[in-house]
Amino acid sequence: MRLQEKQPHNKNQKTMTLIITKTILVASCLAAAASASPLLRRQSSQGSSLVQDAPLAGDLAGIHLLLNNDLDSNTPKHPVIFLAEARSYKDSRHVCDTLGEDLVNSGNLGFAKDLLDITPIAANDLKKVTRLWVKNADTSSSSCTAFDRKSGDTIQLPCSTHLTALCANTLPRSQIGPDVHTDKTNQIKVRTPHAGTYQGYRDQNQFRFLGIKYAQPPVGRLRFMPPQRMKAGDADKAKDATKYGSVCMQGEYEGDAKPNATYVLYSLGAPENEDCLHLNVFTPTLPSKQGKKGLPVMVYVHGGGFTSFSGSSPVFEPGNLVSRGGVVVVTLNYRLGIFGFFESPPSIPRSKATGNLAIRDQIAALQWVQDNIVAFGGDPDQVTIFGESAGGYSMRALLSVPAAFGLYRNVISQSDLLGIPFSSPKIAGQIGAGLLKYLGCSPSDLACAQSKTADQVRNAEHNATMDVVLADGNEWLMTAGGVYRPTIDGDFFPGDFADLVRTGRYNRKANILWGTTRDEAAAFLPYVFPEPIPLDEKDKALAGYLLEDRTKKLFTSPAYALNKSDNDTIRSELSVAITDLLWACAVQRMSRGTASQHSKVYTYRMDHGRDIYSTFGEPFPPFCRGRVCHADDVIPSFGSGDVKDGTVQTGSDARFSRQVIDRFVTFAKTGNPNPKKKDSGLLGLAERNADVTSVQWPEYVDGEDRVFVFEEITGRVEVGKDTERCQWIEKNVHYDYQVHAPNGKFVPIFP
């Protein structure tokens, strides 16, 4: 996508750069601002003040949140709290009371036997449990009521008997809305090995510890510096983890307007501020002993073109993923835009401003996870990183940077533009130099840039970016998904991913699962071509879309033949062709490369999804109707289709989300997306999902081009369907990482 002529530096002017650098999430979440429907909650607003007598998790000797979560908003979940330590009836009831609950009502236990048999969350603690305390049906009796797992009945035992117990969990699932007031009074503290003590709260699905600083605030002299470790502080003084921390500085807003409260609520989850290096921990379990093996951990890196969104964006609400999957989920913020990618060598050497700050932030968060996640019930040896769009791009970066290799085991990369290379020091340095110029600083005066306000930096960033994008020879950046991308520096970032795959210098030990939605490009084309393109104007309209006449070459392929009876055939076929070029065929090629290096690789395509527009009550984008557009896989991946107050996730939406979550979680637990009998007890509900167990997802084999296709009901496997079309692209058009490699030289295809 290319501007036909240079345009003035007008901050209110809508340029294609600002369109392409933001994912389709931008439009959908902005749309949500107009569609909020109030629905009062029964809970009273408690703010974020800490409860003084909140228990310390370590003192409770193991507590687990269990529910039979089919992801359907309308079915009963029967949530309970399982107390893993054996106690007398009286002591068990006291612990329930400490948590703000009572023992489970003994008259309503029909769900309990099945729930205790299938949960992966407390599998180890439940292995030897045969009886559990529940609430007495007859309070006048000298004996007390226990639930027998084997028979499914209640029995009476002496109250002094030591048993594990089931407390009720009466709290709802977390949602957002202008009139949703979350009850945060049921709080609990966790003491970490290296970061101090945090006090969070509980909902139906998870314990939530929000706004945890994983690095010092990157402000003042730390602006444009690598993240600096936090000091633990007083271990006995609890830090407030009941609300999200500020999100990182966002890209330019429409008309320079600051984000209003509704945009913050639906799109960001918290206000923006330069002090933004926070992460959030969501866990269904708080362990009895920190030395005990914990649950697998999934760390999510958000998308948004490296300019937008945050780890607290509501669409990434992980409660259903946590409770159904039996995993600990971590979401995080990382610096965006120029705050995350500033560099300006040689005027400012890398010894003073290293660059690649966004990726360094992500690595710092992963290091925090290694140091502290055991306290939240997670296993630091079983970490999976995952992300979509720019988050998928980040997965590629973390596969490339040796400093990250020991921090994760599995990678799930969704909708990464694998056809686009990493950035070059030249481009990144030009933006950095331009920033200094527009800030009124000399080329080598880093301290001057650090002294400016965050808004001043953001204002200067726009002009500096447009100078580079509109410069002769840089037009191709319009197709690059944004100018802000990880930069090859030869040290921290040793090379472009294509080069690293060729030479085997990426993280070959990691298990990789990656793929696309069926119609990725359809999300973006209407912003460039708002109306159907008449057939007689095709060449003129498409002339500048890709450089080197590559759009014209694409349309010489019989795979993208035009249907003259369809007045929108050009945009339709262009959507297919660009999806192939930037996403699908690039995934196929990189899968061949990584498989040839003996990596374990699984590829997929989403032929079903859920658009974010309808979730927030807005009309579906017309061009995406009948298509599975970029970001349509986000909601199914989290099961977050009911996160907005007044919305639901039912029927086929819930069923499809179960399929996606069960596959992804199984991969996170075993490095393989197929449930196997040998993993019984670890996988929980995934083992019982016939939509998953009935279809084997094969590992990618070089030369066979196997793709697992997610469909609405179940999946299927394609072998070689796209091979001929992709080979044609590789021969006649080439990928951007080949023709626009960071070193300026053409890159031959590999393998």
Side-chain angles (χ1 to χ4, degrees):
M1 284 151 273
R2 175 184 179 183
L3 293 179
Q4 298 304 305
E5 57 185 1
K6 293 189 178 182
Q7 301 183 31
H9 301 300
N10 182 344
K11 289 186 64 59
N12 293 323
Q13 187 170 20
K14 194 75 170 177
T15 66
M16 277 191 280
T17 298
L18 297 177
I19 294 170
I20 300 304
T21 56
K22 297 177 185 294
T23 66
I24 195 65
L25 293 176
V26 174
S28 59
C29 291
L30 282 172
S35 63
S37 58
L39 185 64
L40 291 175
R41 281 265 179 255
R42 288 175 293 180
Q43 293 82 13
S44 61
S45 176
Q46 302 295 333
S48 61
S49 58
L50 295 184
V51 173
Q52 296 302 309
D53 58 350
L56 183 66
D59 293 341
L60 301 183
I63 50 177
H64 311 279
L65 305 184
L66 312 181
L67 66 158
N68 193 344
N69 193 348
D70 63 355
L71 309 184
D72 191 309
S73 306
N74 293 336
T75 58
K77 304 296 186 294
H78 304 295
V80 299
I81 304 172
F82 168 54
L83 304 181
E85 182 171 89
R87 300 177 175 89
S88 69
Y89 178 89
K90 179 181 178 181
D91 289 344
S92 295
R93 194 167 188 182
H94 172 72
V95 174
C96 292
D97 182 64
T98 300
L99 296 171
E101 302 286 357
D102 200 350
L103 287 166
V104 168
N105 193 321
S106 59
N108 183 29
L109 289 171
F111 65 90
K113 185 177 187 302
D114 191 53
L115 175 62
L116 297 176
D117 288 343
I118 64 174
T119 180
I121 292 170
N124 289 329
D125 283 340
L126 278 166
K127 279 181 180 178
K128 298 180 180 180
V129 170
T130 57
R131 296 168 176 174
L132 308 93
W133 288 127
V134 293
K135 189 175 182 180
N136 273 347
D138 182 4
T139 57
S140 63
S141 173
S142 59
S143 60
C144 293
T145 306
F147 174 73
D148 185 88
R149 286 184 67 185
K150 186 175 182 179
S151 66
D153 298 326
T154 57
I155 57 175
Q156 298 300 119
L157 295 172
C159 297
S160 60
T161 307
H162 278 221
L163 300 176
T164 59
L166 292 178
C167 307
N169 184 0
T170 58
L171 296 176
R173 164 164 157 71
S174 291
Q175 288 187 302
I176 59 164
D179 296 296
V180 173
H181 302 292
T182 303
D183 182 356
K184 298 182 180 180
T185 56
N186 292 277
Q187 296 179 8
I188 193 164
K189 293 183 289 191
V190 167
R191 182 169 291 148
T192 67
H194 304 287
T197 300
Y198 293 93
Q199 187 163 323
Y201 66 99
R202 167 175 55 86
D203 68 7
Q204 180 188 82
N205 298 56
Q206 65 216 314
F207 296 101
R208 303 166 67 89
F209 297 87
L210 311 178
I212 297 174
K213 290 181 181 290
Y214 66 84
Q216 295 182 35
V219 300
R221 65 177 181 82
L222 294 184
R223 177 188 286 165
F224 304 143
M225 294 289 103
Q228 304 296 306
R229 293 177 70 95
M230 290 290 296
K231 296 179 181 179
D234 185 357
D236 293 325
K237 183 178 181 181
K239 302 172 186 177
D240 191 345
T242 64
K243 61 181 179 181
Y244 288 114
S246 53
V247 308
C248 292
M249 299 296 292
Q250 305 287 297
E252 184 184 33
Y253 293 101
E254 195 72 31
D256 267 354
K258 292 288 186 182
N260 61 31
T262 307
Y263 182 85
V264 169
L265 175 66
Y266 285 110
S267 298
L268 303 181
E272 66 175 344
N273 191 287
E274 199 175 356
D275 177 5
C276 66
L277 298 185
H278 305 105
L279 58 76
N280 315 293
V281 180
F282 306 87
T283 179
T285 181
L286 293 173
S288 54
K289 296 179 182 178
Q290 291 191 8
K292 208 167 188 178
K293 187 175 179 64
L295 297 177
V297 182
M298 299 182 71
V299 180
Y300 189 72
V301 179
H302 70 83
F306 290 117
T307 63
S308 306
F309 298 101
S310 70
S312 57
S313 294
V315 73
F316 311 132
E317 163 57 44
N320 279 334
L321 173 60
V322 167
S323 58
R324 180 174 178 86
V327 292
V328 177
V329 172
V330 177
T331 64
L332 60 97
N333 300 339
Y334 58 93
R335 281 172 283 182
L336 303 170
I338 196 65
F339 296 94
F341 292 95
F342 175 82
E343 58 182 79
S344 189
S347 298
I348 301 177
R350 292 192 185 279
S351 60
K352 293 186 177 180
T354 62
N356 284 310
L357 301 168
I359 307 305
R360 294 176 187 273
D361 289 346
Q362 295 169 17
I363 290 174
L366 288 171
Q367 289 170 332
W368 188 97
V369 168
Q370 287 294 310
D371 291 342
N372 299 289
I373 204 63
V374 65
F376 298 92
D379 181 357
D381 294 326
Q382 189 68 12
V383 172
T384 296
I385 54 175
F386 69 127
E388 184 269 345
S389 193
Y393 215 129
S394 297
M395 299 302 100
R396 192 191 340 164
L398 294 170
L399 280 166
S400 303
V401 177
F405 288 2
L407 303 177
Y408 60 88
R409 178 175 292 183
N410 308 305
V411 178
I412 300 174
S413 177
Q414 300 172 248
S415 300
D416 177 15
L417 293 96
L418 272 164
I420 301 294
F422 293 137
S423 190
S424 69
K426 177 182 176 182
I427 295 296
Q430 288 173 346
I431 298 173
L435 179 81
L436 293 164
K437 180 181 74 172
Y438 285 108
L439 286 174
C441 302
S442 69
S444 61
D445 195 349
L446 180 61
C448 173
Q450 293 171 327
S451 70
K452 304 297 183 179
T453 68
D455 282 337
Q456 286 174 319
V457 172
R458 182 161 56 187
N459 292 340
E461 171 189 15
H462 171 75
N463 290 331
T465 302
M466 295 314 300
D467 277 353
V468 172
V469 172
L470 298 177
D472 292 339
N474 286 347
E475 296 91 339
W476 83 275
L477 291 172
M478 292 299 184
T479 66
V483 295
Y484 290 110
R485 288 169 289 135
T487 305
I488 304 305
D489 58 21
D491 181 19
F492 177 76
F493 248 105
D496 193 39
F497 191 62
D499 178 55
L500 299 179
V501 170
R502 179 190 309 276
T503 56
R505 290 181 292 153
Y506 68 100
N507 188 358
R508 290 186 297 166
K509 294 182 179 179
N511 303 308
I512 300 172
L513 187 153
W514 55 18
T516 71
T517 64
R518 189 184 63 205
D519 308 291
E520 297 276 5
F524 304 102
L525 285 177
Y527 292 104
V528 184
F529 303 110
E531 301 296 333
I533 302 169
L535 285 170
D536 59 356
E537 296 181 15
K538 174 175 73 74
D539 292 341
K540 179 182 178 181
L542 299 180
Y545 194 84
L546 295 175
L547 299 186
E548 302 92 21
D549 291 324
R550 293 163 69 213
T551 314
K552 184 177 180 180
K553 288 179 181 178
L554 277 171
F555 274 90
T556 63
S557 168
Y560 313 117
L562 299 179
N563 177 6
K564 294 183 179 180
S565 64
D566 177 4
N567 73 337
D568 207 2
T569 185
I570 295 175
R571 289 197 305 173
S572 295
E573 290 306 314
L574 186 60
S575 169
V576 176
I578 298 301
T579 296
D580 283 345
L581 179 67
L582 299 185
W583 283 278
C585 292
V587 168
Q588 183 182 106
R589 173 52 58 182
M590 289 300 183
S591 296
R592 287 188 177 187
T594 51
S596 72
Q597 294 286 6
H598 308 293
S599 290
K600 191 175 181 181
V601 181
Y602 296 88
T603 63
Y604 73 84
R605 185 181 72 240
M606 295 268 185
D607 278 10
H608 186 72
R610 180 164 177 179
D611 70 285
I612 298 171
Y613 285 87
S614 61
T615 300
F616 287 94
E618 281 293 296
F620 194 79
F623 194 69
C624 277
R625 187 169 290 117
R627 295 182 169 93
V628 187
C629 286
H630 188 72
D632 283 359
D633 55 337
V634 172
I635 285 176
S637 300
F638 283 93
S640 57
D642 59 355
V643 67
K644 178 180 177 287
D645 192 14
T647 61
V648 294
Q649 179 172 264
T650 59
S652 61
D653 283 335
R655 184 174 182 177
F656 183 70
S657 186
R658 289 196 295 269
Q659 183 191 162
V660 175
I661 284 178
D662 288 353
R663 289 286 191 183
F664 283 9
V665 165
T666 299
F667 178 77
K669 293 178 177 181
T670 68
N672 184 321
N674 302 289
K676 296 182 178 180
K677 289 184 178 179
K678 71 180 183 67
D679 300 312
S680 183
L682 173 70
L683 301 178
L685 291 166
E687 297 179 273
R688 299 189 175 195
N689 186 347
D691 292 343
V692 172
T693 58
S694 62
V695 181
Q696 186 75 10
W697 181 342
E699 185 178 343
Y700 186 91
V701 175
D702 185 15
E704 294 187 10
D705 296 327
R706 298 172 174 176
V707 178
F708 181 83
V709 182
F710 281 98
E711 295 184 311
E712 183 174 0
I713 301 304
T714 188
R716 59 185 173 86
V717 178
E718 291 181 351
V719 180
K721 181 184 177 186
D722 301 332
T723 301
E724 184 176 349
R725 189 171 73 250
C726 292
Q727 287 177 344
W728 186 93
I729 284 179
E730 291 164 1
K731 179 180 178 180
N732 297 279
V733 183
H734 306 303
Y735 299 114
D736 282 87
Y737 74 77
Q738 295 182 271
V739 297
H740 296 295
N743 63 7
K745 298 179 181 179
F746 181 80
V747 176
I749 203 75
F750 174 80

